[in-house]
Amino acid sequence: MFIPLYDANALRHIQAQYVTISLIVTNVAVWLVSGFLSTEAFQNELLIGLGYIPAVAFGYGALDPTLVIAPDYATYITYAFLHGSFWHLASNMVFLWVFGDNVEDSLGHVRFLIFYLLCAAAGAFVHGLTAPHSEGPLVGASGAIAGVVAAYMILHPKVRLWILVLMRIPIPLPAIVPLALWIGYQFLMLLIDNESNVSWGAHAGGILAGAGLVVIMRRPGVPLFDRTLQTPKAVAHVEAAESRARVVAEARLPKTIRWGRQ
């Protein structure tokens, strides 16, 4: 639908988005090892051994023991670090780069990492619910990224977001416009598209998890929907009194001290 380019949204609580950057580096490194620099046979072994397979996770089948790399429960997470192609990886990482930093800022480093992994797990789970007998491995960070997008929309719907439309037209819009359309599109395709190789169920699961978790996991005092924090009246009165006291004190200083020697 669109490609996010840039958002005018400064960090408020952290100096840098260390977890977001680390996740991007990890995903790229895994892709290099499992895809770009590996043989097709090795890549298939990783996809099967670390991808999320609903039929295995729900107990309708079992992998050949020689293909098992991680326990079934671990694949709810490991699948999110595998990607089938460069463009699959690139599209996910662009979304994570643009939106991840501000969600990390609102949650904190550790909670953001937990949030990301929970959204990935929720994406896998909903994908499994929509196709419990599927024997094809689910791979990709899309479920986790969908959770990040949902959280960003709830936190910062009014922020100006530059997006690239039709791969050539940059447009600035309030974030809620493209993100709400993107989220709506995921659920629409979940209802009508049963034949593509895109897991709309994983996207939907990530969105639902992200929207719920950000409300619970955000830092104390972080507002939702770009609301301005209101200073309590008692605090405002104290600050005003201190300001007046400073003004009065300055007014009593000798003229030579206030303005310098003349």
Side-chain angles (χ1 to χ4, degrees), residues 169-235:
I169 307 172
I171 299 176
L173 292 170
I176 192 171
V177 175
L179 297 189
L181 289 174
W182 184 87
I183 289 173
Y185 180 75
Q186 310 310 306
F187 284 97
L188 174 64
M189 296 306 290
L190 175 62
L191 295 175
I192 67 175
D193 182 11
N194 297 318
E195 297 182 359
S196 73
N197 61 353
V198 176
S199 175
W200 306 110
H203 296 186
I207 290 168
L208 294 174
L213 289 172
V214 70
V215 176
I216 302 169
M217 299 180 68
R218 73 188 193 279
R219 294 175 185 271
V222 169
L224 302 177
F225 309 110
D226 283 321
R227 292 181 182 140
T228 302
L229 286 176
Q230 299 296 325
T231 304
K233 291 183 179 180
V235 176

